[in-house]
Amino acid sequence: MRIAVCMKAVVDSQARIELDGDGNLRQDQLRFEVNEYDLYAVEEAIRLAESDEGHVTVISAGTADAVQGLRKGLAMGAADAIHVDCDPDDLDASGVAAVLAAALHDGGYDLVLAGVESDDLGGSQVGVLLAEALGYASTTLVVGTNEPVDGAMQVRRELEGGEHANVQVQFPAVLTIQSGINEPRYPSLKGIMAAKRKDLAVKGLADLGFDGAPARRVESLGLTIPPPRELARMLEGGAEETAAELVRILREEEKAL
Amino acid sequence: MDWKLTADQSMIREMVREFADAEIAPHAAEWDRRKEFPSATFEQLGELGLFGMVVPEEWGGAGLDGTAYCLALEELGRVDASTCVAISVTNSVYCAPVNKFGTDAQKDRWLRPCASGQWLGAFCLSEPDAGSDAAGLTTRAERRGDDYVLNGSKAWITSGEVCGAMLVFAVSGEVAGKPEFSAFIVPREHDGVAIIHREEKMGLRSSCTNQVGFEDCVLSSDHLLGNEGDGLKIALDSLDGGRAGIAAQSVGIAQGAFDVAHSYLQERDAFGGPIGRFEGLRHELGRMAAEIRAGRLLYLRAATLRDRGLRNTRQAAIAKLHASEASNRIAYQAVQMHGGYGYVTDYDVERFYRDARVTTIYEGTSEIQRLVIARAVLQSATGA
């Protein structure tokens, strides 16, 4: 089984987000890390590959920040990596899907896995649009996989409300992976040292047949930080008094009771 | 000197940091309270390759350089000095000397299983009546036919009761009226090896520190590491490697204490606002930050020299002296900043304070480090 896993460098969730006057992210203080959902996808791919001597390729479209994630994927056990060298700010979700599809389309993959969404922009689009661009089947929010049988796989999807649905998907297919499907391994020290001996191919947009970045059809107009919420309200008085007031607020003002 | 870490070094530090934060930090206080050696966590650490970090891959290790190794130790020290010390010992004073001085047959038997994470190694040099004074060691290895017979006892043995094998130094003869030492690889389960007791300690309470006895312990000559008489050379070389590691551990403890204090200064209100706005405490915080950064640069310097195949006796001693003394000052000050809360176990500073204390004592006391440094600078044309 040949499996590709899409990875994205996202803004470190611990980083302090600051906007400049025009609503743009101040880039100078940003640090990037691997999108956490993608680590579940890498782990799932490696487990599937381990059980049938498969091959896992990790791929990321982005600047040099993307390489760190690819190295982590290699250290966890992927066999090789593709870095599509481009500025992700030039691309909307369909553009990212188009460049990933161009890099993957003649790879003969049975499965392409991607995190269900990114930790920063959270669009949940690239996986599905990539399936469309490749002409593959797709299913989303996958929380369980099974051994493939006759070019198809039964997978478990998470539904709204927490119920699960079992679906059968024909290969080739794109699955978007929900968190909690597995527990991603720590890359071992040997894995980290072996990663640098693995093939990490760098491809520019021109190598993939693009004349410049595919035009954005969805444009970001700027970011805003929601206004700070009202501070917590402190209730004064003795226990009986404050309890009564709390019940009144929950019942009358918040309609919570 | 270029201080930018390589991609491997950064990734190794990140992996150990993530593991430490997720798998060790949440439990370290409880392990300490129960004096519980966390076997399951050590199994994970072994599988990840942390028992034989600098051992080449052909012998089951991870093949890291000493710099990456020290970075890993700092990350462990930052959350739990007990876990850190057992990892430091197995790497720097068991695996490293067996790798450097062992034959292929010895490495296959006694290095590969340790480096690949099956068991920990230990180092037996000090004795109940001789520590810094190595010439006063009395454990004897007497030749009997082709074998050696070991008799004596060893003190302060980290991981004694949980290790798979230990490196034991013993008097094997006499040259010009002076004792001559040899090093032996001794499996813990070998006949004649006994764990005498486990020490009750001020800190590092979840690591095991044992007294180990040898009574008519018969070792075939393939247990001898290096040549007969190489013991002192092997011990001193191991300690040069170990000292940079203990410096890194000390920086880790200091960083751990600093991080807790740093948060507390912003959380704790007094006299109408967070206590971090007081200049007196800011002076201390600034000094602590500078001492930590200095310690980190010193251990990186010592490790880098050794990575380049250069002798680092002086630099490792300086790094160990500074970092261990600084970690004690920093942990002391972190407790002070917490007031009464620093003296109870609610915050981790109390544990860091106890754990820091031993760093100026083991793998060469501060007094010994000063002598080592003084001897080196007196011999050197360039001085310090």
Side-chain angles (χ1 to χ4, degrees):
Chain A
M1 188 165 30
R2 287 179 64 78
I3 309 173
V5 184
C6 306
M7 303 182 74
K8 181 185 176 188
V10 295
V11 174
D12 183 345
S13 52
Q14 306 288 318
R16 196 175 288 183
I17 302 293
E18 288 180 30
L19 303 184
D20 65 16
D22 300 328
N24 294 315
L25 217 48
R26 284 189 50 182
Q27 300 274 347
D28 50 331
Q29 299 196 347
L30 290 185
R31 286 180 307 159
F32 290 86
E33 62 179 8
V34 189
N35 182 34
E36 190 182 341
Y37 292 97
D38 300 342
L39 293 177
Y40 292 104
V42 172
E43 177 65 35
E44 197 64 18
I46 292 169
R47 290 186 190 189
L48 287 168
E50 276 169 353
S51 57
D52 96 332
E53 294 184 10
H55 180 104
V56 176
T57 300
V58 285
I59 181 168
S60 188
T63 61
D65 293 317
V67 174
Q68 185 193 354
L70 293 175
R71 283 195 198 283
K72 185 160 187 174
L74 293 172
M76 288 171 73
D80 52 26
I82 304 170
H83 172 207
V84 180
D85 191 5
C86 60
D87 184 347
D89 289 343
D90 294 341
L91 302 168
D92 62 12
S94 66
V96 174
V99 303
L100 291 176
L104 293 174
H105 83 270
D106 57 1
Y109 296 103
D110 303 294
L111 278 178
V112 178
L113 308 190
V116 69
E117 63 179 340
S118 58
D119 286 325
D120 51 2
L121 299 181
S124 302
Q125 294 196 57
V126 170
V128 181
L129 292 169
L130 175 61
E132 181 64 21
L134 287 166
Y136 288 12
S138 90
T139 190
T140 55
L141 285 163
V142 172
V143 292
T145 63
N146 287 288
E147 261 182 56
V149 180
D150 298 333
M153 179 185 276
Q154 290 192 6
V155 303
R156 206 161 61 248
R157 297 187 60 238
E158 185 180 74
L159 305 183
E160 196 63 38
E163 293 90 353
H164 288 172
N166 293 314
V167 301
Q168 172 149 315
V169 57
Q170 296 291 326
F171 289 169
V174 177
L175 312 180
T176 69
I177 304 296
Q178 173 65 307
S179 62
I181 185 173
N182 54 43
E183 197 172 321
R185 70 194 65 192
Y186 295 95
S188 71
L189 294 178
K190 276 186 206 177
I192 292 171
M193 298 305 277
K196 65 182 170 188
R197 295 191 291 269
K198 294 178 178 174
D199 186 31
L200 196 162
V202 183
K203 294 189 176 177
L205 292 179
D207 302 329
L208 298 172
F210 291 95
D211 180 15
R216 293 189 75 120
R217 289 176 290 170
V218 178
E219 195 69 55
S220 170
L221 299 180
L223 306 178
T224 55
I225 291 177
R229 297 175 61 163
E230 214 176 294
L231 288 174
R233 202 185 319 177
M234 301 303 292
L235 302 180
E236 308 273 340
E240 242 175 78
E241 212 179 322
T242 51
E245 176 65 3
L246 180 61
V247 169
R248 188 196 64 77
I249 292 169
L250 290 175
R251 185 170 285 153
E252 294 173 17
E253 295 182 21
E254 301 297 330
K255 316 264 188 244
L257 297 179
Chain B
M1 202 165 221
D2 180 13
W3 293 114
K4 193 168 158 46
L5 301 181
T6 65
D8 297 337
Q9 290 164 349
S10 298
M11 199 191 250
I12 287 158
R13 179 166 67 173
E14 183 192 315
M15 184 280 279
V16 180
R17 181 177 290 173
E18 279 178 16
F19 184 89
D21 285 338
E23 314 290 342
I24 299 176
H27 313 293
E30 181 65 9
W31 295 336
D32 174 80
R33 195 179 65 74
R34 289 160 45 169
K35 301 174 208 164
E36 175 188 327
F37 177 79
S39 312
T41 304
F42 271 85
E43 258 178 51
Q44 285 179 284
L45 288 164
E47 283 166 15
L48 289 172
L50 272 86
F51 288 6
M53 292 189 242
V54 299
V55 173
E57 288 181 38
E58 60 173 314
W59 298 116
L64 309 191
D65 59 20
T67 302
Y69 162 65
C70 284
L71 291 167
L73 285 187
E74 185 190 330
E75 291 306 323
L76 294 175
R78 188 177 53 81
V79 298
D80 185 22
S82 294
T83 301
C84 182
V85 72
I87 292 294
S88 165
V89 165
T90 190
N91 276 279
S92 66
V93 289
Y94 180 81
C95 283
V98 175
N99 179 55
K100 188 163 177 178
F101 298 99
T103 63
D104 283 1
Q106 287 175 323
K107 291 185 196 182
D108 196 46
R109 199 164 159 199
W110 292 306
L111 180 58
R112 192 188 302 285
C114 180
S116 60
Q118 293 170 38
W119 43 256
L120 289 165
F123 179 81
C124 305
L125 178 62
S126 291
E127 296 181 0
D129 298 316
S132 300
D133 174 21
L137 298 176
T138 58
T139 296
R140 304 197 68 79
E142 279 172 81
R143 200 85 206 219
R144 187 187 294 165
D146 289 338
D147 299 332
Y148 293 90
V149 183
L150 216 54
N151 277 290
S153 68
K154 293 289 180 180
W156 325 123
I157 309 308
T158 299
S159 305
E161 68 185 71
V162 292
C163 73
M166 42 196 116
L167 194 56
V168 182
F169 296 86
V171 179
S172 55
E174 209 173 87
V175 174
K178 287 187 173 172
E180 186 183 63
F181 301 98
S182 296
F184 298 90
I185 304 166
V186 186
R188 179 170 58 90
E189 302 287 350
H190 204 80
D191 281 346
V193 179
I195 303 299
I196 298 171
H197 72 272
R198 179 172 170 176
E199 305 292 347
E200 288 286 336
K201 308 194 293 294
M202 173 195 286
L204 302 186
R205 286 154 61 97
S206 72
S207 82
C208 312
T209 307
N210 300 101
Q211 191 171 333
V212 183
F214 303 93
E215 192 176 1
D216 294 328
C217 173
V218 180
L219 301 168
S220 53
S221 59
D222 56 355
H223 290 257
L224 175 69
L225 186 65
N227 297 313
E228 209 173 282
D230 282 352
L232 200 57
K233 181 180 79 176
I234 292 172
L236 294 178
D237 186 79
S238 308
L239 291 172
D240 280 352
R243 279 173 187 156
I246 297 302
Q249 180 199 34
S250 304
V251 172
I253 297 170
Q255 184 72 55
F258 178 89
D259 290 344
V260 183
H262 179 269
S263 305
Y264 192 73
L265 292 191
Q266 295 169 66
E267 280 164 15
R268 169 74 178 186
D269 285 343
F271 306 104
I275 58 175
R277 73 191 196 287
F278 295 123
E279 198 172 38
L281 295 181
R282 288 185 169 202
H283 281 172
E284 285 304 328
L285 200 67
R287 184 176 63 75
M288 290 155 78
E291 288 201 311
I292 290 170
R293 186 54 64 98
R296 189 172 294 131
L297 290 173
L298 286 169
Y299 84 62
L300 285 171
R301 163 92 174 145
T304 305
L305 287 172
R306 200 171 163 94
D307 285 343
R308 293 180 183 172
L310 301 170
R311 201 157 167 220
N312 71 347
T313 307
R314 183 181 81 221
Q315 291 82 358
I318 290 174
K320 202 256 177 190
L321 174 66
H322 167 82
S324 61
E325 296 278 335
S327 75
N328 276 275
R329 289 192 291 270
I330 289 163
Y332 174 93
Q333 196 51 245
V335 168
Q336 192 68 18
M337 287 171 166
H338 280 72
Y341 286 107
Y343 194 66
V344 294
T345 56
D346 304 28
Y347 289 86
D348 282 328
V349 284
E350 179 266 350
R351 176 167 55 90
F352 288 126
Y353 179 75
R354 286 186 286 106
D355 286 351
R357 190 63 193 85
V358 77
T359 62
T360 65
I361 297 171
Y362 64 17
E363 296 208 24
T365 61
S366 288
E367 291 70 26
I368 290 291
Q369 306 306 329
R370 292 188 188 99
L371 291 179
V372 170
I373 296 163
R375 194 183 309 139
V377 297
L378 286 170
Q379 283 169 357
S380 152
T382 57

